Amino acid sequence: MAELPIQFGILGCADIARKVSRAIILSPNSTLCAVGSRSLEKAAKFAKENGFPKSAKVYGSYEAVLDDPDVDAVYVPLPTSLHVKWAVLAAQKKKHLLLEKPVALNVKELDVILEAVESSEVQFMDSTMWMHNPRTAAMKEFLSNSELFGELKSVNSCFTFAAKQDFLENDIRVKPDLDALGALGDAGWYCIRSILWASNFELPKTVLALRDPVFNKAGVILACSASLYWEDGKIATFHCSFLANLTMDLTIVGTNGTLHLHDFVIPFEEKKASFSVATKSGFTELVTGWEPKPSEHQVTTDLPQEALMVKEFSRLVGSIKFDGSKPEIKWPTLSRKTQQVLDAVKLSIEKGFETVEV
Amino acid sequence: MAELPIQFGILGCADIARKVSRAIILSPNSTLCAVGSRSLEKAAKFAKENGFPKSAKVYGSYEAVLDDPDVDAVYVPLPTSLHVKWAVLAAQKKKHLLLEKPVALNVKELDVILEAVESSEVQFMDSTMWMHNPRTAAMKEFLSNSELFGELKSVNSCFTFAAKQDFLENDIRVKPDLDALGALGDAGWYCIRSILWASNFELPKTVLALRDPVFNKAGVILACSASLYWEDGKIATFHCSFLANLTMDLTIVGTNGTLHLHDFVIPFEEKKASFSVATKSGFTELVTGWEPKPSEHQVTTDLPQEALMVKEFSRLVGSIKFDGSKPEIKWPTLSRKTQQVLDAVKLSIEKGFETVEV
């Protein structure tokens, strides 16, 4: 029996849903089935503008998407404060769940979602697209090579972008009732994920937020930094901000090797992405140059990373739907660890920059 | 009257003195005049192996170099704990002073040196070579452009190298009686200097060392990190280590622009050096790529940065010697600020990672 493509419903017409709609179209094992908005008109406009097939359904509510028996999976790009409600409902309605990051306001809320997901045996994945770029696997291969990279010693991650005035006044990411985690939940999520990824998802023992985060008048974080500590002496730092030029740095230093990239969240280009590595770097005889020098590695991809994410998610959903497989718990596990560290950073800020155990 | 080249004496035969000897030869306004070591034989061997002219004198003591009336200036690459003694004596003997970093064990000692320098009206400069690379000026031009770079928001600097076992056991930089500042005084000096350089040498208001520095058995720092805070909200972090692969990163992020380089202390190559800049970086329409992308800039130089350092130092010495100019106070001022921050980091570590005012 030919396996049908996974049918996606989308809750809401967020900007990011445009990119993910395209990814669902590009991915060979998925298709756009429905979109729901609180405004039917908005949903119809969204479907029309984003290449939904004629057969796709448009709804004037999120519930209607969840009640549509044709919908296998939902992509949920709603404001973070609405995640727990809609993600739980989606799971209860047996919809597989591709959830925008940050997945929840805190681990407690996330656990409510994950319990519903587990109880319904649906697949859960957060929408951290760069995890699915083939570059990420190529970099992990380097980091896993004890000869080339050795033992991890330090990580620095930085994700900033210069939000425009309109964003700083109106975007959901600066509203305490919508995305209360602000820059920490948005850009910081990626920094934390990248650090955990570099450390093979071994949780740090403690976290210390650095001083002087920037808040808006409503108390939402616009910029912050933190340091993470492991028992074996590894250290990581990150900086996230809505208030500085777009920067997406990841630097990973080991005993034998160093890895750099400057576009870790969203590659400079869709179809190719590069990173730089160095191994056992040293100097020329009089210390007037490097020998060997770092080298650049390029990884090409037919599908953009967000389509590869949809493809992997749909593959897992298909395995459950058609082969009776169990959900892959790797993905909720990674989401939870990311959220745990995020919570610890937030708590450290709230406690006046005290060290917090993770 | 033709101005004669500045005559250099070198105190000691440290490894780094080989590189600086070559720089003195390469610089058009300087020449090697004398070298002194506690062992006359070592001094003679050093002179022979490092291209000293036949006329150069070799001495079996440092004093003899300082007493040589032909010597205009001395380069002092002695262990840090000996700086105060020999730098003060050099100044008293009216020798201009090119002093290896870290310039002193602490600001108090440095002030003793600087008082001697001021009182003798000799030129002082620390041997931070990268300051003199034309790339540094090109980068500063970018950072000073309010349209291209804007207001400085954050800096991250990282200088690590993987010291071999012999270094970790025997190098002066791991000996409490010689270079008690360890990795902080060596690699950390450059990190602090780069951060201060990026902030136009505006001192941070406070410094907080990050937890879990690594010490050797003698209590010398082998790896540490710190965070620096300015009143206007700027933040900087750095990591320095003898225990990880050679890495020399500097990332400077402003409201409008970003600057990256990965070889800020010693360029990958002698005759050319590059850096990457980005201005008003944004995304393509569906946030699937960057527009504009960062661009790479290459700066070429006929002379390596250490020769340009010697040339600038010799130019200043020549102005004093031949034109009756006053010493340029910029250089001791930058040294002192670097040492002030270094002291604050060390104090923060000693106080158990308390915030320290600079």
Side-chain angles (χ1 to χ4, degrees):
Chain A
M1 187 182 82
E3 290 177 2
L4 295 168
I6 301 305
Q7 307 273 327
F8 272 82
I10 297 182
L11 300 197
C13 304
D15 244 6
I16 184 71
R18 297 167 55 222
K19 181 174 179 176
V20 175
S21 293
R22 174 172 170 266
I24 292 166
I25 295 169
L26 288 173
S27 171
N29 55 355
S30 59
T31 190
L32 288 163
C33 172
V35 57
S37 165
R38 285 168 299 174
S39 144
L40 182 63
E41 202 185 338
K42 243 175 115 181
K45 186 165 180 276
F46 183 89
K48 195 179 163 195
E49 288 176 354
N50 288 284
F52 278 58
K54 289 236 165 81
S55 58
K57 289 160 275 187
V58 295
Y59 294 115
S61 76
Y62 308 142
E63 288 92 336
V65 177
L66 301 183
D67 286 330
D68 185 328
D70 291 339
V71 169
D72 295 310
V74 287
Y75 167 60
V76 180
L78 298 172
T80 313
S81 61
L82 303 179
H83 282 192
V84 66
K85 173 177 174 183
W86 292 104
V88 166
L89 204 57
Q92 286 169 347
K93 304 263 184 179
K94 309 288 183 200
K95 305 304 185 194
H96 302 278
L97 188 59
L98 180 62
L99 186 58
E100 241 337 302
K101 35 58 45 188
V103 285
L105 289 174
N106 50 56
V107 166
K108 209 175 142 193
E109 278 198 356
L110 177 58
D111 282 345
V112 174
I113 295 172
L114 295 183
E115 278 157 30
V117 160
E118 200 182 350
S119 153
S120 288
E121 296 196 323
V122 293
Q123 183 62 49
F124 174 96
M125 184 184 277
D126 71 46
S127 184
T128 307
M129 298 167 178
W130 68 267
M131 295 288 291
H132 304 270
N133 196 305
R135 171 173 69 175
T136 304
M139 294 192 297
K140 182 50 84 178
E141 198 177 331
F142 173 75
L143 298 176
S144 304
N145 187 311
S146 60
E147 194 59 31
L148 297 179
F149 181 73
E151 189 192 327
L152 177 63
K153 300 300 268 184
S154 68
V155 187
N156 179 255
S157 181
C158 174
F159 182 6
T160 66
F161 61 87
K164 296 206 163 55
Q165 203 51 41
D166 178 51
F167 179 108
L168 291 175
E169 282 165 14
N170 301 314
D171 196 89
I172 59 166
R173 285 167 280 186
V174 298
K175 301 289 185 188
D177 53 335
L178 297 174
D179 269 345
L181 300 171
L184 176 60
D186 187 42
W189 172 274
Y190 292 104
C191 295
I192 293 169
R193 171 61 64 88
S194 70
I195 291 167
L196 288 173
W197 171 80
S199 62
N200 286 324
F201 291 95
E202 182 198 341
L203 282 173
K205 191 170 159 53
T206 57
V207 160
L208 174 69
L210 301 186
R211 283 214 333 271
D212 302 347
V214 181
F215 301 93
N216 68 8
K217 280 180 190 162
V220 174
I221 295 169
L222 301 181
C224 71
S225 305
S227 50
L228 289 68
Y229 306 87
W230 284 258
E231 284 213 78
D232 66 358
K234 278 195 296 282
I235 180 167
T237 47
F238 76 82
H239 177 66
C240 59
S241 172
F242 290 158
L243 306 174
N245 187 54
L246 178 59
T247 303
M248 288 181 179
D249 285 354
L250 182 57
T251 302
I252 308 175
V253 187
T255 47
N256 293 342
T258 305
L259 185 148
H260 285 121
L261 69 165
H262 297 298
D263 58 351
F264 81 97
V265 180
I266 294 168
F268 295 131
E269 296 181 53
E270 257 197 332
K271 298 293 178 78
K272 60 184 183 190
S274 59
F275 60 101
S276 156
V277 300
T279 291
K280 295 179 183 167
S281 310
F283 295 119
T284 53
E285 210 269 316
L286 273 182
V287 194
T288 58
W290 292 43
E291 182 62 41
K293 295 185 187 71
S295 60
E296 196 78 10
H297 295 260
Q298 197 175 83
V299 179
T300 56
T301 175
D302 285 339
L303 288 178
Q305 60 184 17
E306 60 275 13
L308 291 169
M309 173 182 76
V310 170
K311 188 180 171 192
E312 173 62 8
F313 176 75
S314 299
R315 185 185 72 77
L316 294 169
V317 171
S319 293
I320 298 165
K321 185 174 175 185
F322 303 115
D323 306 332
S325 297
K326 294 283 173 198
E328 168 60 76
I329 62 156
K330 170 187 164 188
W331 295 109
T333 306
L334 304 192
S335 305
R336 192 173 190 280
K337 287 185 175 186
T338 309
Q339 187 84 44
Q340 269 183 283
V341 173
L342 199 155
D343 283 13
V345 173
K346 186 153 178 281
L347 184 61
S348 178
I349 293 172
E350 286 162 1
K351 285 189 161 187
F353 315 103
E354 268 183 33
T355 291
V356 169
E357 303 252 338
V358 178
Chain B
M1 189 181 79
E3 291 176 3
L4 296 168
I6 300 306
Q7 307 272 328
F8 271 82
I10 297 183
L11 300 197
C13 304
D15 245 6
I16 184 72
R18 296 166 57 221
K19 181 175 180 176
V20 174
S21 293
R22 174 172 171 266
I24 292 166
I25 294 170
L26 288 173
S27 171
N29 55 355
S30 60
T31 189
L32 288 163
C33 172
V35 58
S37 165
R38 285 168 300 174
S39 145
L40 181 62
E41 201 185 340
K42 243 176 113 182
K45 185 165 180 278
F46 184 89
K48 194 179 165 195
E49 288 177 355
N50 289 283
F52 278 57
K54 288 234 165 83
S55 59
K57 288 159 277 187
V58 296
Y59 294 115
S61 76
Y62 308 143
E63 288 92 336
V65 177
L66 301 183
D67 285 332
D68 185 330
D70 291 340
V71 170
D72 295 312
V74 287
Y75 167 59
V76 181
L78 299 172
T80 313
S81 61
L82 302 179
H83 282 191
V84 66
K85 174 178 174 182
W86 292 104
V88 166
L89 203 56
Q92 286 169 348
K93 304 261 184 181
K94 309 289 181 199
K95 305 305 185 194
H96 302 278
L97 188 58
L98 181 61
L99 187 58
E100 241 336 303
K101 34 58 46 190
V103 285
L105 289 174
N106 51 56
V107 166
K108 210 175 142 193
E109 279 198 357
L110 177 58
D111 282 345
V112 174
I113 295 172
L114 295 183
E115 278 156 30
V117 160
E118 200 181 351
S119 153
S120 289
E121 296 197 322
V122 293
Q123 183 63 48
F124 174 97
M125 184 185 277
D126 70 47
S127 185
T128 307
M129 298 167 177
W130 68 266
M131 295 287 291
H132 304 272
N133 195 305
R135 173 174 65 176
T136 305
M139 294 191 298
K140 182 50 84 176
E141 198 176 332
F142 173 75
L143 298 176
S144 305
N145 187 312
S146 61
E147 193 60 31
L148 296 178
F149 182 73
E151 189 193 328
L152 177 63
K153 299 301 267 185
S154 69
V155 187
N156 179 254
S157 181
C158 174
F159 182 7
T160 66
F161 61 89
K164 297 205 162 56
Q165 203 51 41
D166 178 51
F167 179 108
L168 291 175
E169 281 164 14
N170 302 313
D171 195 88
I172 59 166
R173 284 167 281 187
V174 299
K175 302 290 185 187
D177 53 337
L178 298 173
D179 269 346
L181 299 171
L184 176 60
D186 188 43
W189 172 275
Y190 292 104
C191 296
I192 293 169
R193 172 62 62 90
S194 70
I195 291 167
L196 288 174
W197 171 80
S199 62
N200 287 324
F201 290 95
E202 183 198 339
L203 282 172
K205 191 171 159 54
T206 57
V207 160
L208 174 69
L210 301 186
R211 280 215 335 271
D212 302 349
V214 182
F215 301 94
N216 68 9
K217 281 178 189 163
V220 174
I221 294 168
L222 301 181
C224 70
S225 306
S227 51
L228 289 69
Y229 305 86
W230 284 257
E231 284 212 78
D232 66 358
K234 279 195 293 285
I235 181 168
T237 47
F238 75 84
H239 178 64
C240 59
S241 171
F242 290 158
L243 306 173
N245 187 54
L246 178 59
T247 304
M248 287 181 180
D249 286 354
L250 183 57
T251 303
I252 308 174
V253 187
T255 46
N256 293 342
T258 304
L259 185 148
H260 285 119
L261 71 166
H262 297 298
D263 58 351
F264 81 97
V265 180
I266 294 170
F268 295 130
E269 296 181 53
E270 257 196 333
K271 299 292 178 77
K272 60 184 183 190
S274 59
F275 60 101
S276 156
V277 300
T279 291
K280 294 178 183 167
S281 309
F283 295 119
T284 53
E285 209 269 317
L286 272 181
V287 194
T288 58
W290 291 43
E291 184 60 42
K293 295 186 188 72
S295 60
E296 196 79 9
H297 295 260
Q298 196 176 82
V299 178
T300 56
T301 174
D302 285 339
L303 288 177
Q305 61 185 15
E306 60 274 15
L308 292 169
M309 173 182 76
V310 170
K311 188 180 169 191
E312 173 62 6
F313 176 73
S314 300
R315 186 185 70 77
L316 294 169
V317 171
S319 292
I320 297 166
K321 185 175 175 185
F322 302 116
D323 306 333
S325 297
K326 294 284 173 199
E328 169 59 76
I329 63 158
K330 170 188 167 189
W331 296 108
T333 306
L334 304 191
S335 305
R336 191 173 191 281
K337 286 185 174 184
T338 310
Q339 187 83 44
Q340 269 183 284
V341 173
L342 200 156
D343 283 14
V345 173
K346 187 154 178 280
L347 185 61
S348 177
I349 293 173
E350 287 162 1
K351 285 190 161 187
F353 315 102
E354 267 183 33
T355 292
V356 169
E357 302 253 337
V358 178

